[in-house]
Amino acid sequence: MKRLRVLLVDVSFVTLDTAVDMLEYPIGLVYVGSALKAAFGDRVDVRIESYEHKSGSLADLEAIFDDYRPEVLGLRSLTMGRTPLHEIASLAKSRFAIPWVIAGGPHASDNPDDVLDNEAFDGAVIGEGERTATELVGRILEGRSLHEVPGLAVRRSEGSYLYYPRLPIENLDELPMPDYSMVDFLGINRGHVDFSFRRDVPHANLFTSRGCPYRCLYCHQVFGKRMRAHSPERIMQEIRMLHDTFGVTSFQIIDDIFNLDRERAMRFYDLVVREGLDLTFSFPNGLRGDRVDPEMVDAMWEAGVRYVSYAVETGSPRVQKLIRKNLKLERIRDAIALSTAKGIVTRGFFMIGFPTETEEEALMTVEFARSTDLVQAMFFTVVYFPGTELFKLAQSVWDMSNYELGLEVDYVRTREGPYAFSRETLEEIKLKAIREFFFSAKRVNLAFDVLPNFYHQRDIDATLMVNIISGRLRESDIAEPDIAAKLHRYFLITDRFSQKEGFFV
């Protein structure tokens, strides 16, 4: 029996030579592929690939297209990967005549008109993809039209697109268990850092809930504004399978907000402890800091949680309201203190350059970060993703007509923008943040005391050297002799790079 060949490709455009070399396996495509295999069995052959767009060459994908000859090509991409997304689709149609080319992921969900302006695309999946992909593949197998598939935007003859919404999947436990045989999930990350900034650590990613009720202006809306979740028992079943089958002991939970349902979170931590496995967990993205309390921190530690990212974004109460984050700053300060005191590595995420943000408000963010017990921090320039409410706000105060996303410009360097101060001042604030946060006696001591609870020594060494380079520091800039002594060997190594222009984290 002839099987329909389906190729799902994650178009990654997040690697930087000047900063973080990060690449993960596409867990979302694993869910989609698993749903297709569960629905159609031997009628489909599903292959999953990760494409890292770094040099601009499509040679690797050309070889895959030539060898596999897919009949359905699904391309998942962030908006940052828009350029290679279009290049791959055009190549697939013009050179390899792939009959069905479908886009999915955050960019397709937020910008279906951009996708369908390219005639190489036959459709754009909006929102979560398992049931939409299953229905469209079913129609292809039956020789039917893709028009009126809920969740799929298709082109109309007059240039607009046609779209019927699909209701979210209410009970995530109904989805099949992810089939990891379709992807080299332990190998893709090899040589790269993971979401928790460790290099070469075998791990699995757990995506245990979808949707977020908060209304932050900068977020995509792929999964909607209401949380839906796997049960703690279903999460534990997946962990047990990954542990017993592949020997995985390290897990990253990559939800938007894992602890929105406190009872569910605490039940999960209890199940992990009861299971009796020696596991390590990290939250590189998904804990709401002002919903963390002392009992939860104790439970997290007992379950093996050793790393948490707290997304603070801004230390300005006005900007918190402006971006609709509405974080309770004093409560997250307490959560950070509790977590760090327990021994959990805490990293804060901060953004500078929101629309209408003043220099004084940006400095409030630096001061908030400096005043906390965070072990690590990252200070980003705000990125305005088309399709988000933040982009619309930026348009209202700044000419965004020529704005084009650029990975290095937006994540590492700076650009003029809709904030109420100059680009030069923004660069000065970022440099001030790095210097004052990382090189106080408090922070250096925390780094040496807490980082070993989660990181290998090579990762700690790399982190400290990157901070020195980013801060453009000399050893003589460190006032406290004991702190200078702790960092002495790192300055010896990084001295020749300390004047490198434009290197930030």
Side-chain angles (χ1 to χ4, degrees):
M1 179 181 66
K2 182 182 181 296
R3 296 196 291 175
L4 184 75
R5 294 183 299 278
V6 179
L7 176 62
L8 305 176
V9 178
D10 183 50
V11 182
S12 175
F13 195 52
V14 296
T15 297
L16 278 173
D17 292 333
T18 52
V20 178
D21 185 10
M22 182 179 289
L23 186 68
E24 290 279 6
Y25 66 92
I27 182 63
L29 294 184
V30 174
Y31 266 91
V32 171
S34 301
L36 293 177
K37 292 179 71 173
F40 302 110
D42 290 340
R43 298 179 67 194
V44 297
D45 181 79
V46 182
R47 179 170 174 176
I48 298 175
E49 297 285 346
S50 287
Y51 170 69
E52 185 180 11
H53 185 82
K54 191 171 183 179
S55 64
S57 170
L58 297 175
D60 291 345
L61 275 182
E62 290 177 7
I64 292 171
F65 291 166
D66 191 51
D67 172 66
Y68 187 62
R69 293 289 170 177
E71 295 156 283
V72 180
L73 173 63
L75 299 173
R76 181 262 182 195
S77 174
L78 300 172
T79 299
M80 195 65 76
R82 173 190 177 277
T83 297
L85 177 75
H86 282 284
E87 291 175 355
I88 294 166
S90 298
L91 173 73
K93 277 292 186 189
S94 64
R95 183 168 169 186
F96 292 92
I98 296 175
W100 303 99
V101 179
I102 309 293
H107 182 66
S109 293
D110 278 347
N111 301 278
D113 51 346
D114 175 73
V115 169
L116 295 175
D117 279 347
N118 182 350
E119 293 189 357
F121 283 107
D122 299 288
V125 175
I126 299 177
E128 56 195 344
E130 292 90 351
R131 290 181 176 170
T132 302
T134 298
E135 183 168 342
L136 75 87
V137 166
R139 290 196 177 203
I140 290 171
L141 286 168
E142 296 168 3
R144 297 169 57 200
S145 167
L146 298 189
H147 280 245
E148 301 184 10
V149 173
L152 183 71
V154 294
R155 191 179 303 101
R156 277 178 164 173
S157 57
E158 59 267 29
S160 63
Y161 65 87
L162 182 68
Y163 169 64
Y164 295 92
R166 180 179 291 276
L167 293 175
I169 300 170
E170 290 297 328
N171 182 3
L172 296 186
D173 284 359
E174 292 179 355
L175 292 170
M177 186 75 69
D179 182 353
Y180 288 92
S181 68
M182 292 184 292
V183 63
D184 181 16
F185 80 101
L186 291 176
I188 286 175
N189 176 257
R190 193 170 297 122
H192 302 276
V193 297
D194 62 17
F195 291 139
S196 305
F197 300 95
R198 298 172 302 171
R199 186 174 295 276
D200 286 332
V201 176
H203 65 277
N205 297 324
L206 301 173
F207 192 29
T208 80
S209 67
R210 300 179 183 184
C212 169
Y214 294 98
R215 304 282 173 171
C216 303
L217 295 187
Y218 48 82
C219 272
H220 290 283
Q221 307 294 318
V222 176
F223 294 115
K225 305 311 294 180
R226 185 170 55 82
M227 181 182 175
R228 296 157 290 125
H230 283 299
S231 66
E233 290 75 15
R234 164 61 174 72
I235 305 168
M236 200 65 235
Q237 181 185 0
E238 184 173 347
I239 289 172
R240 188 87 225 193
M241 180 272 291
L242 288 162
H243 176 275
D244 294 350
T245 305
F246 301 100
V248 177
T249 60
S250 180
F251 296 88
Q252 296 182 126
I253 297 180
I254 58 174
D255 300 24
D256 286 332
I257 303 183
F258 179 83
N259 63 330
L260 183 67
D261 182 339
R262 186 182 188 280
E263 182 179 351
R264 169 182 174 269
M266 296 296 283
R267 170 67 176 160
F268 169 73
Y269 299 137
D270 181 63
L271 285 178
V272 172
V273 172
R274 290 173 180 271
E275 197 72 18
L277 302 176
D278 185 13
L279 306 177
T280 299
F281 293 93
S282 63
F283 287 92
N285 179 54
L287 285 183
R288 175 88 180 187
D290 55 4
R291 300 180 70 90
V292 171
D293 56 50
E295 184 183 11
M296 184 176 290
V297 171
D298 288 343
M300 288 162 57
W301 179 263
E302 289 300 314
V305 176
R306 296 296 180 265
Y307 173 97
V308 173
S309 290
Y310 287 119
V312 181
E313 317 307 6
T314 175
S316 160
R318 183 192 78 87
V319 179
Q320 281 282 342
K321 292 180 181 178
L322 176 73
I323 63 175
R324 299 208 295 260
K325 177 86 175 182
N326 293 319
L327 196 67
K328 298 176 178 64
L329 291 172
E330 290 310 308
R331 289 184 63 178
I332 195 170
R333 187 195 302 277
D334 292 342
I336 291 166
L338 289 165
S339 303
T340 301
K342 181 63 69 173
I344 297 171
V345 175
T346 53
R347 185 187 301 268
F349 289 147
F350 300 92
M351 293 194 276
I352 301 170
F354 285 106
T356 74
E357 183 178 22
T358 66
E359 180 179 352
E360 291 74 20
E361 288 170 327
L363 290 172
M364 289 173 70
T365 296
V366 177
E367 174 56 26
F368 181 86
R370 192 196 63 76
S371 68
T372 68
D373 289 342
L374 286 167
V375 181
Q376 295 282 285
M378 299 190 78
F379 299 94
F380 296 105
T381 304
V382 175
V383 181
Y384 308 97
F385 287 101
T388 63
E389 291 296 317
L390 183 66
F391 188 86
K392 295 176 184 176
L393 177 61
Q395 283 180 309
S396 71
V397 296
W398 185 263
D399 181 8
M400 302 291 286
S401 57
N402 295 319
Y403 182 84
E404 291 187 10
L405 290 172
L407 185 59
E408 186 156 331
V409 170
D410 287 309
Y411 279 94
V412 181
R413 306 190 193 281
T414 59
R415 67 162 88 202
E416 297 288 352
Y419 43 88
F421 45 94
S422 68
R423 174 183 179 178
E424 290 74 22
T425 299
L426 176 57
E427 291 177 346
E428 291 171 3
I429 292 171
K430 285 190 69 175
L431 188 60
K432 175 183 175 69
I434 293 167
R435 289 184 168 187
E436 293 190 0
F437 180 86
F438 286 109
F439 297 101
S440 66
K442 172 183 178 180
R443 208 73 54 201
V444 172
N445 287 329
L446 280 174
F448 278 84
D449 291 343
V450 182
L451 289 179
N453 291 341
F454 183 66
Y455 290 104
H456 295 307
Q457 187 60 47
R458 63 186 177 187
D459 295 320
I460 298 172
D461 293 343
T463 294
L464 292 171
M465 288 189 288
V466 165
N467 292 342
I468 290 170
I469 295 170
S470 299
R472 302 173 190 167
L473 285 176
R474 299 287 188 181
E475 190 169 356
S476 57
D477 294 326
I478 306 297
E480 297 89 344
D482 58 329
I483 299 302
K486 280 190 171 184
L487 297 175
H488 175 67
R489 69 187 184 98
Y490 299 105
F491 278 104
L492 289 178
I493 298 169
T494 60
D495 184 60
R496 64 192 178 97
F497 299 114
S498 62
Q499 300 303 310
K500 186 174 181 180
E501 291 296 325
F503 191 102
F504 287 98
V505 294

